[in-house]
Amino acid sequence: MAVINCPGCKKKISDKAKSCNHCNLDLSELDSDQLANLNRVSVINKTQRLMNFSFIAMLFFCGGFLFMFRDNIAPGTWQHNLAMASTFIGFFMYIIIRAMLLLTKRKAS
Ligand SMILES: [Zn+2]
């Protein structure tokens, strides 16, 4: 008996189980086509989630960047530091998320 990941909810189940005991997905009626389909859907969902995160990262980056040059905020004040931190965090988040997106797409194809 081996442990596999349920194609529906990705939780660990026995490969002998006829249905997933987490999401009740009927495994006995799944053929390879449907399995491929479920995998594709999960990749799309993951990609969508990463896209949302990259959007948030962009907001951090742009927001921090704009804030830094707005209202003549002097360097050294906490507002300026906060804006700078937001810009850097947004920038690095964005890079990391783009890399994760690339990896997800490469694994899927
Ligand atoms: Zn499941």
Side-chain angles (χ1 to χ4, degrees):
M1 195 183 91
V3 174
I4 57 166
N5 290 326
C6 167
C9 61
K10 305 286 172 212
K11 289 189 175 123
K12 291 194 185 327
I13 52 168
S14 157
D15 64 341
K16 298 281 189 295
K18 290 199 167 45
S19 69
C20 172
N21 51 4
H22 301 288
C23 65
N24 289 324
L25 183 76
D26 195 340
L27 299 169
S28 57
E29 286 177 3
L30 283 176
D31 54 36
S32 55
D33 263 8
Q34 284 168 311
L35 274 175
N37 233 337
L38 279 168
N39 276 330
R40 205 153 47 226
V41 168
S42 87
V43 166
I44 289 169
N45 284 342
K46 197 177 174 192
T47 306
Q48 192 59 50
R49 215 166 31 237
L50 285 171
M51 292 296 277
N52 289 342
F53 277 126
S54 79
F55 181 69
I56 294 168
M58 277 306 273
L59 282 182
F60 267 104
F61 178 72
C62 294
F65 198 74
L66 288 174
F67 193 72
M68 242 196 306
F69 294 102
R70 218 197 53 168
D71 295 340
N72 300 321
I73 295 170
T77 59
W78 68 268
Q79 289 101 325
H80 190 269
N81 290 339
L82 190 72
M84 241 167 47
S86 175
T87 309
F88 279 119
I89 289 167
F91 180 74
F92 284 116
M93 258 175 77
Y94 188 77
I95 298 289
I96 290 164
I97 290 162
R98 296 312 292 190
M100 281 167 76
L101 266 172
L102 270 179
L103 284 175
T104 308
K105 278 179 184 157
R106 192 170 301 163
K107 238 187 289 175
S109 57

